[in-house]
Every structure is written in C-alpha cells, then in structure tokens.
Amino acid sequence: MNLVPGLPAHAASAVWGGVPQPLRAAVEAAAGPVLNAVEAVSGRTAWLRLSLDVPGRRLFLKATPLSHRHAPTLDTEARLAPAVRALAPQLLHHGIAGAWRWLLFEHVPGRSADLSPGSADRDAAASALRRLATLPAPTAATLRVEDRWAHLGAGLDLGLLAGDRLVHTDLNEGNILVQGGSAVLLDWAWPGRGTGWLSAGFLLAQLIDAGTPAADAEAWARQALPGWSAAPTDAADTFVTALIRRRAEQVTTCPPARRAEREGQLRSALTWHRSRTHT
C-alpha cells in the first residue's frame, strides 16, 4: 500500500513508516508511540485515514496536505467538534505538522450502516438524527443550505430550507457508524445550517438509493423522524427537486470511475420525485 506518492509501499504492520516524518512526530508527541497503523477503506475527503494503536488505546487519524483542496474541511471539523460531542467521535488533538493538517479522534468501534430495505440500522440512524435535529447550528457551521444550493434554485423557493439547526449534508452509509443498535455520525467536513428536517431528507435519499421504494421510505420516516413528517409539503418538494439538480450536476462533473454511481443516485432521486408528485 502506498499512502503517500513517492514513498515505497509498506506492509500493513509497517504502514506508519510510510507517513511523512513531521506528521508522525506530531501525532506521537500528542498520543504516544504508534505500535501499529491500519488504513481505513471508507471516506474520501481526508488523504490519510488511519486507525492507530498506541499504548492502552486505539485512535483514528485523518490528515491531508495543506495544498489539497479538501484541507480546509479538516479545519471545519476541528471547529465543529465541540458541538457534536454527543453524536460523533471525540476530537482529542489536532494541528499542522510540516505540510499536513491533521485531526486525531477517539476510535469508535463499529461498522458502516446497512441502509438496505428493512435493515434495523436505519432505526439507529434515525435515533441519531432525532438528536441532531435539536442542535442549533454553531458558528462553525457557516454554510447555509439555501446558499450552497443557490445556483440550483431557478424557480425554487430555497428559503423554505432555511433555519438555524445543524445539518449533516453528507450522510451516507460510510458516515453512519453502528454498534449495538446505536449510531454515531462521522465526517463533518460539510456541516450546514438549515431547517431541522433537512438531515432526515438526506438520510431518506440514501435509503432510496439503497433500494427502499420511495413511498416505503417516506412511510417509515413519518414514524421514525417526526421532523420529516412535520415538514411542509412544498418545502419537502423543493428539497427533492434541488437534490435532483445537484445530482445531475454531479453526474457531469464526477470522475469517470464514479459516473455509474452518480447516475444511479440521480435515477433514484427522480423516482422519489415521481413518487411525491404521482407523475
């Protein structure tokens, strides 16, 4: 495995040796000597994603070169961390080392959520989202959802999505970690500010992507996610329409390797829209 371009590949037991020395030194100064490191397979925003064994505990490291376009998202996660302590792994240390921005979290055992039809994991995710819906957006969540989607809003009243709640705008099965019937929410690189039911809308989109019929997903949400059931019909319709436009945009801008995935997500959003409008 070659973690950093230009460095030789390393066996899993020696992954830590492939990390740039300034970053290794900063992490070990904060947490102690690293005994083993294993690369995480999920996640896209951070360049390095490593589970680290240090004396007496396991930690999780995210790091990205300062020159990379996603480096600012690690700053966002660091600023947001105090607001999501009850919903996300605790941020223990963070900083800049050499040319790298890094975050060191507690390691939370678990697995990525199964969002396929009928999975019990969706109830664990719903419980986390009910708590999230009560959280006011902290100052670190500066991005208003209606502003983020403004370029998609021709003919839409995106003000229907506005609000003062914290929104997880990048929900997917890899960002929902499940253990023992409970869930934590990972990867707060793109926190938003909007109405309290928006995170539920993003979860519904993922359920439909995973094969749950749109009508069944909405029937489940009306029971499991009170915020969604209380959302005005025109506001929810606006969300789904904006989601279609965003996914159509992603189809045209994504790397070729993700084209089929993005096209499938667009099809499922269109199916959701047809279910809501009966057309």
Side-chain angles (χ1 to χ4, degrees):
M1 176 174 53
N2 193 348
L3 293 177
V4 181
L7 293 178
H10 293 267
S13 61
V15 164
W16 192 234
V19 173
Q21 192 279 329
L23 181 55
R24 295 201 314 268
V27 171
E28 293 193 332
V34 171
L35 308 176
N36 192 37
V38 178
E39 186 179 22
V41 296
S42 62
R44 292 191 177 100
T45 55
W47 189 311
L48 295 183
R49 302 173 302 276
L50 302 177
S51 295
L52 305 179
D53 291 321
V54 300
R57 58 180 174 166
R58 174 167 282 194
L59 306 174
F60 187 77
L61 173 69
K62 296 176 69 170
T64 296
L66 293 171
S67 59
H68 194 276
R69 64 189 179 93
H70 284 154
T73 67
L74 272 67
D75 293 322
T76 299
E77 283 199 72
R79 292 194 303 270
L80 190 76
V84 294
R85 284 176 180 157
L87 295 172
Q90 182 180 357
L91 178 64
L92 303 175
H93 306 281
H94 63 96
I96 294 174
W100 290 77
R101 182 74 168 97
W102 59 276
L103 309 176
L104 193 62
F105 295 91
E106 64 173 338
H107 187 280
V108 178
R111 55 176 173 77
S112 295
D114 173 8
L115 299 181
S116 61
S119 170
D121 288 358
R122 63 185 186 176
D123 294 323
S127 178
L129 291 194
R130 289 194 296 271
R131 297 196 303 274
L132 175 58
T134 69
L135 295 183
T139 55
T142 60
L143 186 60
R144 298 180 184 276
V145 173
E146 67 271 25
D147 294 339
R148 183 180 183 186
W149 281 2
H151 67 294
L152 308 172
L156 297 177
D157 181 5
L158 293 177
L160 295 170
L161 310 183
D164 64 354
R165 300 292 94 180
L166 178 62
V167 180
H168 195 306
T169 68
D170 191 26
L171 280 177
N172 57 62
E173 59 187 17
N175 287 342
I176 304 171
L177 191 68
V178 176
Q179 184 192 44
S182 62
V184 296
L185 305 179
L186 309 179
D187 198 353
W188 289 90
W190 306 103
R193 178 184 296 264
T195 188
W197 51 262
L198 272 177
S199 294
F202 285 112
L203 177 62
L204 272 173
Q206 293 295 313
L207 295 178
I208 297 166
D209 287 345
T212 300
D216 292 350
E218 291 227 34
W220 169 81
R222 284 192 290 271
Q223 299 297 318
L225 295 165
W228 179 260
S229 62
T233 299
D234 57 345
D237 287 343
T238 294
F239 169 78
V240 176
T241 301
L243 180 71
I244 289 170
R245 295 177 183 181
R246 172 59 178 149
R247 289 184 167 187
E249 180 181 63
Q250 289 172 324
V251 167
T252 64
T253 59
C254 70
R258 296 196 68 191
R259 183 66 53 80
E261 174 192 1
R262 292 301 195 190
E263 289 175 342
Q265 291 170 343
L266 175 58
R267 286 193 297 271
S268 69
L270 289 166
T271 298
W272 188 9
H273 183 268
R274 287 193 295 269
S275 175
R276 291 188 59 85
T277 58
H278 306 290
T279 60

